[in-house]
Amino acid sequence: MIPVIISGTVVTALRRANRVVVVTGAGISAESGIPTFRGAEGLWRNFKAEDLATPAAFARNPRLVWEWYDWRRNLCGKAQPNPAHHVVAAMERFYHHFLLVTQNVDGLHSRAGSRRMVEVHGSLWRARCLKCGDTVELPMTSFEDGKAVVGRVSSRVARCLEEENPARSPGLQPLPTHAACGGTLRPAVLWFGESYEPAMLQQVFTALEEAQVVLIIGTSGGVALPVDLAAQARQAGATIVEINRERTAVSRLAHERLEGRAGEILPELWRRVQVGHLTDEIRARGRHKGGRLMIGIAGPPGAGKSTLAQALKAVLGREAVVVPMDGFHFPNARLDALGLRARKGAPETFDRLAFELAVAELRATQKPVSLPLYSRELHEPVADALTVPLATSFVIVEGNYLFLWPEVRNALDLKIYLDCDPALARASVIARHQQGGASEEEAVRKFETNDRLNSETVHATRGAAEIMIRRNAAGWTVERVGGT
Ligand code: APR
């Protein structure tokens, strides 16, 4: 994977914005395996648009056109949204004013969770009745007798299209008809020579007038719309950012261009925006508190707590130190001095006692604090303890059920919960066990045992969070910044 180069300007623009418009084209679905239209492997290189995507083509040979759309529906139905689609859906949840304008008809944005969306070219998954004008949803399959059978037609489509002899398309099922009125159905897709819906365009142009940032992703500008949208938005003062593998008709209007694959650029761009947003919040709380800010990151095993902690430290720099939860180990002498030896046999784990002590010490003192770290693998204290120097403004601690213990919860100034998509957490934990040498079967058993032990405490912890971060296929998104 080529390292993604993203300018700070784009990250800053997205961190400061609260009104964002995203315009997408076929390129955002390329990494889901769906061919684009132009370029080396483009659909219009292998098929003739005028035979397949015009009103005249449908009038001339409606069956062929339906077979073409069946073939594409079959292809798109098997494809999965890629990380770029998930980031666009995460942006919709994050920005108060957001609109997705997509030229794509493949349905992947809605399958990734996008809702505030305008499909300016319609959708493969809808059909329109030529008689009454109603639009009907199409199932994830293709047609036979007006009902749906999955794309058996695709081989016929390929053959008759290759022979480019529509008249030869074999005897096919009757055309799909509208159950309500018996009218003939056509794909609810905008064809060449047809006009955009005025109301839809009005919604798009209104959103562009107010947008602070417009991302234009994976479109060649082969049809004029994205170029017109970029020109209008730029005129209205928005920052135009193009994400594409090559220069296009849009490029001259872009303030910034991020060159590469959308599926790689968007997750990295979004991670940097979210970590930046979080560190803004942390610094603001640090100023408000005027001393050492104790930050806790909790979440289920495999959620990515340590990765998030390290990402925050990378931005906060030398002012921050990360203290791993299960790294603590206090010798008995220290416990005796604090009158806690008796609790050592208590049901809670030894980590818990050590953790309480460490957080309490780090919180209470503004002097350097040494923490004897404990290696779980070696089952003994690690020689060089972690020393938290006086100048440390931000102490980041992380653990599965960190906020469960009152002594720790009350000592933390900021509680962040990493709410992870369960499938992602499970995959991370199993992979980690396997990296440690466990077989897949052992790794799964370890995960399931640990997960059972953790589940109720993790959810109890979740309730104490002030900042909720959702981790899914888009990476991290700050879902809620609560409390003062
Ligand atoms: N990441 C980002 N961009 C990509 C990627 C990728 N992984 N792969 C390809 N691209 C870019 C190409 O460089 C190209 O600029 O996506 C763009 C795809 O351009 P087109 O194939 O022309 O598709 P699009 O711009 O969406 O076409 C617009 O034309 O034929 C009509 O109705 C059709 O909606 C379509 C419209």
Side-chain angles (χ1 to χ4, degrees):
M1 195 161 93
I2 303 166
V4 173
I5 299 166
I6 294 176
S7 80
T9 320
V10 178
V11 175
T12 306
L14 284 170
R15 277 172 60 181
R16 290 189 178 142
N18 56 28
R19 293 194 301 277
V20 171
V21 170
V22 173
V23 179
T24 63
I28 200 168
S29 297
E31 286 151 273
S32 297
I34 296 178
T36 59
F37 293 95
R38 297 163 186 89
E41 298 303 312
L43 286 172
W44 297 149
R45 278 288 167 87
N46 304 315
F47 300 112
K48 286 189 178 161
E50 56 272 22
D51 284 349
L52 299 164
T54 64
F58 189 72
R60 192 169 52 246
N61 192 333
R63 282 185 180 73
L64 175 65
V65 171
W66 265 116
E67 292 223 4
W68 155 254
Y69 282 98
D70 280 346
W71 173 71
R72 287 182 64 200
R73 209 171 24 254
N74 206 5
L75 193 69
C76 297
K78 288 176 185 163
Q80 292 303 321
N82 69 59
H85 294 104
H86 288 293
V87 170
V88 173
M91 286 180 169
E92 173 178 320
R93 288 195 298 270
F94 184 77
Y95 290 109
H96 293 294
H97 305 277
F98 178 89
L99 183 66
L100 167 60
V101 182
T102 185
Q103 300 173 93
N104 298 344
V105 296
D106 55 34
L108 290 187
H109 278 302
S110 52
R111 283 170 60 194
S114 287
R115 293 296 174 265
R116 280 186 270 165
M117 165 170 78
V118 176
E119 293 175 303
V120 290
H121 290 171
S123 170
L124 288 174
W125 304 104
R126 292 192 292 275
R128 191 168 63 245
C129 177
L130 293 178
K131 187 174 172 189
C132 70
D134 275 5
T135 298
V136 295
E137 292 296 316
L138 292 179
M140 291 281 276
T141 54
S142 77
F143 276 87
E144 187 167 354
D145 302 330
K147 292 193 302 301
V149 230
V150 110
R152 261 187 317 114
V153 294
S154 57
S155 53
R156 281 205 289 266
V157 171
R159 198 171 54 248
C160 69
L161 286 174
E162 272 155 22
E163 286 153 14
E164 291 187 348
N165 184 349
R168 286 208 36 210
S169 47
L172 293 166
Q173 297 79 17
L175 282 178
T177 54
H178 185 200
C181 76
T184 299
L185 291 174
R186 60 157 277 183
V189 172
L190 188 73
W191 281 331
F192 291 100
E194 294 184 318
S195 310
Y196 291 100
E197 272 182 43
M200 192 187 278
L201 281 190
Q202 187 53 51
Q203 181 188 358
V204 170
F205 282 112
T206 303
L208 285 170
E209 274 301 311
E210 299 159 357
Q212 292 154 313
V213 179
V214 176
L215 300 182
I216 303 192
I217 306 168
T219 183
S220 64
V223 297
L225 184 71
V227 180
D228 296 346
L229 298 183
Q232 160 161 342
R234 184 179 175 114
Q235 178 74 26
T239 300
I240 312 297
V241 181
E242 179 181 37
I243 296 172
N244 200 306
R245 296 184 68 185
E246 58 192 20
R247 291 191 67 81
T248 70
V250 171
S251 302
R252 62 184 172 76
L253 293 161
H255 295 97
E256 293 281 340
R257 293 193 63 251
L258 304 178
E259 186 136 322
R261 298 174 189 277
E264 293 164 12
I265 290 175
L266 278 168
E268 175 56 20
L269 171 60
W270 193 234
R271 188 191 70 78
R272 288 180 53 183
V273 170
Q274 291 305 298
V275 169
H277 185 71
L278 209 46
T279 44
D280 286 350
E281 180 65 30
I282 287 171
R283 288 193 191 285
R285 288 172 187 249
R287 282 192 296 275
H288 179 72
K289 185 173 162 304
R292 181 174 275 166
L293 194 76
M294 294 293 297
I295 303 157
I297 300 177
K305 299 180 288 297
S306 303
T307 309
L308 176 61
Q310 293 303 334
L312 291 177
K313 166 149 177 61
V315 178
L316 294 169
R318 295 170 58 81
E319 301 170 79
V321 69
V322 176
V323 185
M325 168 189 162
D326 57 5
F328 291 104
H329 180 83
F330 279 69
N332 288 339
R334 179 87 71 93
L335 292 175
D336 286 342
L338 293 150
L340 287 170
R341 171 75 89 87
R343 285 178 52 193
K344 187 171 177 182
E348 62 265 29
T349 68
F350 187 63
D351 280 344
R352 166 178 175 168
L353 281 183
F355 200 72
E356 279 178 30
L357 289 169
V359 169
E361 281 202 43
L362 286 165
R363 179 76 177 80
T365 61
Q366 288 304 316
K367 64 179 179 42
V369 176
S370 283
L371 299 172
L373 295 188
Y374 179 67
S375 153
R376 283 232 164 156
E377 288 68 31
L378 302 175
H379 296 291
E380 60 188 29
V382 174
D384 51 338
L386 173 76
T387 299
V388 178
L390 182 61
T392 305
S393 307
F394 306 107
V395 177
I396 304 169
V397 292
E398 45 93 1
N400 295 355
Y401 23 78
L402 187 60
F403 313 150
L404 201 62
W405 309 320
E407 297 79 357
V408 174
R409 188 169 59 237
N410 299 336
L412 293 173
D413 304 298
L414 177 58
K415 295 180 277 296
I416 299 171
Y417 188 87
L418 197 44
D419 199 18
C420 185
D421 174 292
L424 281 178
R426 175 191 169 92
S428 302
V429 172
I430 289 172
R432 194 162 51 204
H433 284 312
Q434 286 181 292
Q435 281 151 20
S439 68
E440 182 167 3
E441 192 184 338
E442 284 166 340
V444 170
R445 192 170 36 73
K446 283 183 174 192
F447 167 78
E448 284 166 354
T449 310
N450 190 28
D451 193 44
R452 221 176 8 263
L453 283 176
N454 271 305
S455 53
E456 74 282 359
T457 48
V458 162
H459 290 294
T461 293
R462 187 180 192 279
E466 296 159 275
I467 290 186
M468 195 67 78
I469 298 185
R470 180 198 298 253
R471 178 185 166 221
N472 62 14
W476 300 314
T477 299
V478 175
E479 296 276 314
R480 174 172 57 86
V481 176
T484 48

